[in-house]
């Protein structure tokens, strides 16, 4: 029988405590940012680190586009992101929910639909 483990409450020294179980010797990787994120917490960065590729874990990530600095123009979004690959898109909605996507393809403006799915959680 498979036991479902709920969301992590704390991460310390390779031990993850949850309200249902304790997992020992779990490898915890953290995404490294070049600056402080206005959206992502330390725990979110660790959770992201366990789901991205090794090359994504070892690089330092820069914030390239924010609505606060760059506005809401999709044209501006594409012009700032077209040369970056891969990217992590992080969105915080008006209710405070945080979600996003790891994008392994280059961003491009196109009238046609294109999608590359590797894994959906």
């Amino acid at each position: 029988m498979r036991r479902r483990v709920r969301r992590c409450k704390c991460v310390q020294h390779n031990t993850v405590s949850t309200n249902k179980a304790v997992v020992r010797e779990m490898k915890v990787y953290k995404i490294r940012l070049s600056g402080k994120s206005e959206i992502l917490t330390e725990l979110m960065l660790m959770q992201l680190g366990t789901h991205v590729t090794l090359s994504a874990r070892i690089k330092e990530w820069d914030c390239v586009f924010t609505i606060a600095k760059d506005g809401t123009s999709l044209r501006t979004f594409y012009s700032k992101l077209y040369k970056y690959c891969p990217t992590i898109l992080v969105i915080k909605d008006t209710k405070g929910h945080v979600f996003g996507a790891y994008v392994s393809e280059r961003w491009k403006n196109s009238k046609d639909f294109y999608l590359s799915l590797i894994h959906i959680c």
Side-chain angles (χ1 to χ4, degrees):
M1 174 184 252
R2 232 169 105 182
R3 197 162 105 176
R4 191 174 188 151
V5 178
R6 291 199 178 162
R7 179 179 287 164
C8 297
K9 290 207 182 223
C10 65
V11 178
Q12 295 178 342
H13 307 290
N14 291 337
T15 301
V16 179
S17 298
T18 68
N19 51 354
K20 284 237 178 185
V22 174
V23 179
R24 300 234 180 251
E25 296 305 318
M26 177 181 174
K27 293 193 182 208
V28 178
Y29 301 98
K30 179 180 159 192
I31 296 289
R32 294 181 311 122
L33 302 178
S34 61
K36 179 137 175 65
S37 173
E38 295 177 22
I39 298 175
L40 297 171
T41 65
E42 291 294 313
L43 180 59
M44 289 176 182
L45 292 170
M46 283 187 243
Q47 290 170 331
L48 273 172
T50 61
H51 294 286
V52 296
T53 63
L54 178 61
S55 61
R57 284 185 210 133
I58 59 177
K59 73 182 282 185
E60 186 173 79
W61 292 83
D62 296 316
C63 180
V64 179
F65 179 91
T66 66
I67 289 176
K69 291 180 191 170
D70 303 304
T72 58
S73 166
L74 195 55
R75 179 170 288 163
T76 303
F77 177 83
Y78 286 130
S79 72
K80 292 196 132 218
L81 277 105
Y82 80 94
K83 61 184 170 184
Y84 294 96
C85 182
T87 55
I88 298 174
L89 176 66
V90 180
I91 300 168
K92 185 174 186 178
D93 69 14
T94 56
K95 293 184 179 181
H97 300 111
V98 177
F99 55 97
Y102 177 81
V103 183
S104 59
E105 302 285 329
R106 291 203 184 279
W107 289 93
K108 63 181 177 182
N109 190 0
S110 174
K111 62 182 177 183
D112 298 321
F113 175 80
Y114 65 98
L115 181 65
S116 174
L117 291 179
I118 297 172
H119 179 69
I120 297 176
C121 301

